[in-house]
Amino acid sequence: MSVTITGVEVHDVRFPTARHGDGSDAINRGDYSASYVELRTDAGPTGAGFTFTNGRGNEITCAAVRALAHHVAGRTVAEIVAEPVAFWRSLTADAQLRWLGPEKGVIHMATGALVNAVWDLRAKLAGVPLWRLLAELPTADLVASVDFHHITDAITPDEAGAILDRGLVGLADRRAELDRDGFPSYTTSVGWLGYPDAKVRSLTRTAYRQGWRAMKMKVGGPLADDLRRARIIRAEIGPDALLMMDANQVWDVDEAIEKMAVLAEVRPYWIEEPTHADDILGHARIAEAVAPIRVATGEVAANRVIFKQLLQARAIGVMQIDACRVGGVNEVLAELLLAAKFGVPVCPHAGGVGLCEYVQHLAVFDYLRVGTALPGRMIEYVDHLHEHFVDPVRTRDGRYLLPDRPGYSSTMTPEAIARYAFPDGPAWR
């Protein structure tokens, strides 16, 4: 059956998270938002995708999605599947809109929303969750989905194919393991920068009791405050659990090195986004200086070319992909393959609106077909806003459970869309 995408609907959905300090860090104070896309078809199923933003930026990404929507509307799914890179490039190489990137920022995030909606539609039509669709695709189809332009000096299609072929060995055993045990995760919900000490202590104690043995806190405020809060968390989780830190790009390079020399007292596992996201050489200097503390980054890395350079420069010990900062599933595939080539574990960025729902599929696929080893791999978990999704994430004892419903877990409930639509939804009146 030929399925045609007949229309693209875009919704500006925002949640009032700022009033409670949820999501607060050294730079960001805002209302978690999603530029939410629905692809209507002539066959019934609707493809859902979104890009995550932070308040007023949502109106800009919604406008960008609308500007790109004509590249999607009217196409058949079969046409897209037959020429996935050509489809992807129709969005990323729009002759007039590419100037606003290229392949970065608002236009690229809008591309990700549309591309992810297509993959959600593909998985729904196949009747399987996205992680399974990807894991069971033939190697040739996966390689054909990747745009290798500008990254062949780091990984070639033949090398990518070899990685994916190796991933077929033991695939059934790895899947059985995840079915039984779930996927390791860490929680960020304990340590937002705007939380008072008593709330940090209470949330940490609760998370530990619920089974989490890896937790992340925000840093980048006054150093004495960061150290005090870190000591609270370390005291609650004991010496063996992992404590990660996230500076959200607030420090200069030398400042990051100096601050981490002090914060090393509490033995952080990694320091995330210690400086500007585009500073490849700065990250490399920090990584060398703070070792054995790992440097992690990637949640706002613009594209596969930035990740290529971070890996080539040995600037990161943990690679963090974001499901909708880059150009959707196709580009994430490139980034996972790059990480495997360089032997760096991927721990996806999540939280926000729906990012946990998204990245669980990507992390599971990475383990099943690309990375094939769990040590060093975790999915971020933030306990916010899951109730607004038809297929929300499920956890047990600090681990993600495999999603089992068809699609990318990206479909929001009609009630959430109506209530939190900006500016006319009841939540904003």
Side-chain angles (χ1 to χ4, degrees), residues 59-118:
E59 58 206 54
I60 303 173
T61 46
C62 283
V65 172
R66 294 186 182 102
L68 289 167
H70 68 281
H71 292 295
V72 181
R75 294 211 188 198
T76 67
V77 175
E79 172 191 353
I80 292 171
V81 171
E83 297 285 349
V85 172
F87 165 68
W88 195 75
R89 286 182 179 173
S90 73
L91 295 161
T92 61
D94 180 294
Q96 297 182 43
L97 297 181
R98 186 180 186 274
W99 187 265
L100 301 180
E103 295 184 33
K104 64 174 70 73
V106 169
I107 291 295
H108 213 44
M109 293 168 70
T111 294
L114 288 162
V115 169
N116 286 335
V118 169

Side-chain angles (χ1 to χ4, degrees), residues 63 112 211 304 335 364:
R304 66 203 182 285
E335 292 158 358
V364 169

Side-chain angles (χ1 to χ4, degrees), residues 36 75 78 151 180 306 346:
Y36 182 71
R75 294 211 188 198
I151 62 172
R180 183 186 68 242
I306 294 292
V346 176

Side-chain angles (χ1 to χ4, degrees), residues 61 70 90 106 136 237 242 278 361 374 377 379:
T61 46
H70 68 281
S90 73
V106 169
E136 295 179 354
I237 66 177
L242 298 180
D278 294 342
H361 293 268
L374 276 184
R377 283 180 164 77
I379 308 174

Side-chain angles (χ1 to χ4, degrees), residues 296-311:
T297 197
E299 72 179 72
V300 297
N303 50 53
R304 66 203 182 285
V305 180
I306 294 292
F307 279 114
K308 177 190 75 170
Q309 294 172 78
L310 286 165
L311 293 163

Side-chain angles (χ1 to χ4, degrees), residues 190-271:
V190 304
W192 298 114
L193 206 61
Y195 286 175
D197 289 359
K199 186 170 184 177
V200 170
R201 186 183 301 278
S202 174
L203 290 172
T204 302
R205 190 170 294 175
T206 298
Y208 191 89
R209 187 170 61 248
Q210 292 174 339
W212 268 278
R213 295 298 181 267
M215 306 186 195
K216 189 170 78 180
M217 63 175 292
K218 299 293 184 175
V219 295
L223 182 58
D225 290 348
D226 288 344
L227 183 58
R228 184 187 70 255
R229 295 167 66 250
R231 285 170 172 166
I232 290 172
I233 296 173
R234 176 55 76 191
E236 292 295 331
I237 66 177
D240 297 326
L242 298 180
L243 171 59
M244 289 82 79
M245 295 179 172
D246 184 356
N248 288 98
Q249 309 173 51
V250 73
W251 294 326
D252 283 353
V253 172
D254 291 333
E255 184 182 13
I257 294 169
E258 293 167 2
K259 295 289 180 67
M260 290 311 298
V262 175
L263 294 170
E265 173 196 314
V266 295
R267 295 185 299 106
Y269 180 66
W270 76 50
I271 176 60

